[in-house]
Amino acid sequence: MKSLFKKYTLLSLVACTALTGCSDWLDVNDNPNTAEKVEAGYLFNYVAVCWSGNRLGGDSYIPISMSIQSQADGGDNYGGWGEAYYEISPYSTGNTWKHYYSVGGNNLQLAIEQAKNSSPENVNAEAQCEILLAEHVYEASMLWGDIPFSEAWKTDIKYPKFDAQEDVLNGAIKILDEAIAKINLDDKNCIDEYDPYYKGDMSKWYALAHSLKFRILMTMVDADPSKADDIKKLMEERKMISSSEGNMEFQYSENAGNENPKYGIIAKYTGGTNLMFYAHNNTLKPMQKYNDSRIPRYFDPGFDGEFRALDTREEVVEDADNNALSSAISAYLYRKDCPDLLFSYQEQLLLEAEVYARGLGVAMDLTKANDLFREGVKTACNYYKADGAATETFLGNLPDLSKLSQDKAIYEIHLQQWIDLMDRPLECFVQWRRSGTHGNEVPALTVPKEASAKELLRRWDYSPDELSGNPNAPKESPKLWDAMWFDK
């Protein structure tokens, strides 16, 4: 099957899919800098639409999933993604930077001001916007490391300085703490109709804020071991999300213009058949080891009904009649109404399992870790609607962490975290970098032969526009393989 387009034509794909659905869903605030009285809920919703459009479109989903090797490109006759060997388009970096700062961050700041100035003051709406803002700050730092923060979004500062990643992440935690303190569960005034995540259920927002804080702390703790005390406090308080009802999701639909951007890419460029994204051995092989019940939910079998993965840049295997035998990422994950999952209960459980396995602020307890580990994996299987009987068999195949060494138990947890995040590339990228010291990450990745760099990718280049337009920006981007502060 010959490629339907050259990889270099993806510049147009990246540009057109970055904000899929925004103009169809909402026609508000095209220029937020001139909008002084737009309702906070409108701005909040606009950010949510554009945020998931970026996360799941050509600007983020493709370059991150390919470059971190959670998915395979099938070689030049199929996907042929340059991102698989670290050729990440400046359109991707530029459009994504613009989302976090011009679209997301700027609109959220405006929404916060509108909520503050409303009569009466809408403290819950402020908190909702601040929680989204903290997550924007966190995600941007996970891609670029040091970023504008303390001087960002200030109308009197034209050229914001770049803050150290440690300060940025501590700042995101401070924003979450302020949001938590503001939430008033007895006050019905909040963003509800325009809240695509929880429809104004502030108890869920309260739990989410604690869980997002937990995730940031888990990202920071290797570089700053003192964060273990804050992790311990969160574990003891039990205020984080406690069921799948607390999942943070942006829900797409089957309505024209409101489909998942991943579906849009496949529909537009390959007629609805996935010829561009394939199972990677980094994910499928460890799933096959334990007969993981998610395999048929994650991947479609080859023409002969078998599941086969590829290595990075490996060509799709075909039979004598040119039928693909390699497994593509499933149509289930690329369906029209597939949601953007931003935080999940299985992620929460697996992080808690890691806390006990590593003894982060708590006594190491591999029995507790095992219980949380198994519940997290089961929750993940249920989320993807895996066959129930197959899930029970799979769980029976998993090792009992309490019977393993500490290092092996941690390895198994990290492996399941990687598998769970396969279709959430940014989160998967963060998880891989924090899963071990350099050269000991889970799973072990290899540098693509075509890559000009001979080390594994650990960050993105800064937006070219920011480098050229902001005199306080670094003179040049760090190298793609340069580790960030958190990446110890």
Side-chain angles (χ1 to χ4, degrees):
M1 178 68 190
K2 296 301 180 184
S3 177
L4 298 181
F5 50 92
K6 298 290 186 181
K7 55 181 173 289
Y8 298 109
T9 66
L10 292 179
L11 296 181
S12 61
L13 182 153
V14 166
C16 74
T17 60
L19 301 179
T20 299
C22 284
S23 61
D24 293 306
W25 288 42
L26 287 175
D27 289 316
V28 299
N29 196 28
D30 290 332
N31 184 1
N33 292 312
T34 65
E36 297 182 358
K37 295 185 179 180
V38 177
E39 184 181 331
Y42 288 7
L43 297 168
F44 179 90
N45 188 269
Y46 179 78
V47 170
V49 171
C50 295
W51 184 22
S52 286
N54 178 276
R55 282 171 51 91
L56 302 184
D59 283 328
S60 290
Y61 183 87
I62 294 172
I64 300 177
S65 65
M66 292 297 115
S67 63
I68 67 166
Q69 304 174 33
S70 64
Q71 300 180 24
D73 73 343
D76 286 337
N77 285 335
Y78 281 80
W81 302 106
E83 288 87 342
Y85 46 90
Y86 306 161
E87 287 192 357
I88 298 175
S89 165
Y91 285 89
S92 290
T93 56
N95 287 338
T96 302
W97 183 274
K98 287 172 184 174
H99 170 75
Y100 286 118
Y101 283 96
S102 299
V103 177
N106 192 43
N107 276 278
L108 287 170
Q109 292 284 1
L110 291 169
I112 290 167
E113 287 304 310
Q114 291 297 339
K116 284 181 178 178
N117 295 328
S118 64
S119 182
E121 180 179 356
N122 193 338
V123 293
N124 283 334
E126 290 175 45
Q128 289 167 282
C129 294
E130 288 170 347
I131 293 167
L132 248 60
L133 179 63
E135 185 61 15
H136 273 60
V137 169
Y138 169 74
E139 288 190 0
S141 187
M142 291 300 97
L143 287 173
W144 290 288
D146 299 352
I147 57 172
F149 174 68
S150 62
E151 295 182 352
W153 307 297
K154 296 186 183 300
T155 57
D156 58 335
I157 297 177
K158 188 174 182 180
Y159 302 116
K161 69 176 183 178
F162 280 55
D163 294 289
Q165 184 177 61
E166 180 180 9
D167 296 331
V168 171
L169 296 180
N170 279 320
I173 289 174
K174 182 180 179 182
I175 293 173
L176 289 171
D177 284 339
E178 290 172 352
I180 289 167
K182 286 178 182 175
I183 291 175
N184 183 352
L185 299 180
D186 295 323
D187 186 353
K188 301 302 181 183
N189 196 21
C190 63
I191 298 171
D192 46 21
E193 179 184 0
Y194 293 105
D195 173 6
Y197 309 111
Y198 301 122
K199 295 302 179 187
D201 186 333
M202 295 309 299
S203 63
K204 291 181 177 179
W205 278 105
Y206 185 75
L208 174 71
H210 285 87
S211 288
L212 293 179
K213 179 179 177 181
F214 180 47
R215 179 162 70 184
I216 297 173
L217 290 169
M218 291 294 286
T219 304
M220 299 177 72
V221 71
D222 288 321
D224 180 1
S226 72
K227 296 302 183 188
D229 293 336
D230 298 313
I231 290 169
K232 176 184 179 182
K233 183 179 179 181
L234 285 171
M235 295 287 286
E236 291 175 344
E237 289 177 341
R238 310 307 305 168
K239 293 178 180 178
M240 298 179 283
I241 70 169
S242 57
S243 76
S244 296
E245 294 297 313
N247 287 354
M248 184 186 190
E249 292 182 318
F250 183 89
Q251 183 63 58
Y252 287 96
S253 77
E254 295 191 359
N255 298 331
N258 295 347
E259 305 102 328
N260 187 299
K262 294 183 296 179
Y263 166 82
I265 293 170
I266 298 301
K268 182 169 184 177
Y269 291 94
T270 58
T273 300
N274 182 8
L275 304 175
M276 299 191 287
F277 305 91
Y278 289 87
H280 202 294
N281 277 315
N282 289 331
T283 304
L284 182 56
K285 278 190 175 180
M287 295 179 79
Q288 290 174 322
K289 178 181 178 181
Y290 297 127
N291 198 18
D292 195 315
S293 61
R294 290 167 290 185
I295 290 174
R297 306 304 280 172
Y298 275 23
F299 313 112
D300 289 334
F303 185 76
D304 61 355
E306 298 296 321
F307 290 95
R308 295 183 185 85
L310 299 166
D311 288 327
T312 299
R313 301 291 296 135
E314 183 180 357
E315 293 286 341
V316 167
V317 178
E318 298 177 340
D319 64 15
D321 296 319
N322 293 327
N323 296 305
L325 300 179
S326 303
S327 294
I329 305 299
S330 70
Y332 174 73
L333 293 180
Y334 286 1
R335 67 193 188 276
K336 292 181 180 181
D337 62 349
C338 186
D340 179 17
L341 181 60
L342 295 111
F343 193 90
S344 71
Y345 183 46
Q346 61 259 31
E347 184 178 356
Q348 175 76 39
L349 289 166
L350 291 172
L351 285 172
E352 291 185 15
E354 182 185 341
V355 169
Y356 281 107
R358 295 179 60 184
L360 294 174
V362 301
M364 186 189 77
D365 189 332
L366 293 184
T367 298
K368 283 186 178 180
N370 184 63
D371 290 343
L372 290 161
F373 170 73
R374 299 177 72 80
E375 186 62 26
V377 174
K378 182 177 181 179
T379 300
C381 293
N382 291 340
Y383 178 82
Y384 289 104
K385 295 182 169 47
D387 178 79
T391 295
E392 290 305 313
T393 299
F394 164 43
L395 293 173
N397 295 335
L398 287 173
D400 183 340
L401 301 189
S402 68
K403 298 179 180 179
L404 302 178
S405 68
Q406 182 187 28
D407 287 346
K408 183 60 177 174
I410 294 170
Y411 173 88
E412 293 292 339
I413 293 169
H414 284 324
L415 191 59
Q416 289 303 319
Q417 288 169 323
W418 166 270
I419 291 170
D420 175 51
L421 298 171
M422 182 278 293
D423 193 48
R424 297 169 58 194
L426 178 54
E427 291 90 329
C428 198
F429 187 25
V430 177
Q431 168 56 33
W432 176 78
R433 285 177 289 173
R434 66 170 205 86
S435 66
T437 56
H438 292 197
N440 297 296
E441 297 92 351
V442 182
L445 306 182
T446 57
V447 180
K449 292 180 181 179
E450 298 97 327
S452 58
K454 297 307 175 186
E455 298 182 56
L456 292 165
L457 178 141
R458 312 193 83 90
R459 64 167 70 229
W460 273 16
D461 285 328
Y462 286 118
S463 162
D465 289 344
E466 187 69 17
L467 289 179
S468 63
N470 184 352
N472 288 322
K475 299 300 182 183
E476 60 182 27
S477 283
K479 303 301 183 185
L480 292 176
W481 57 84
D482 287 343
M484 296 180 180
W485 169 82
F486 86 91
D487 184 11
K488 300 299 183 183

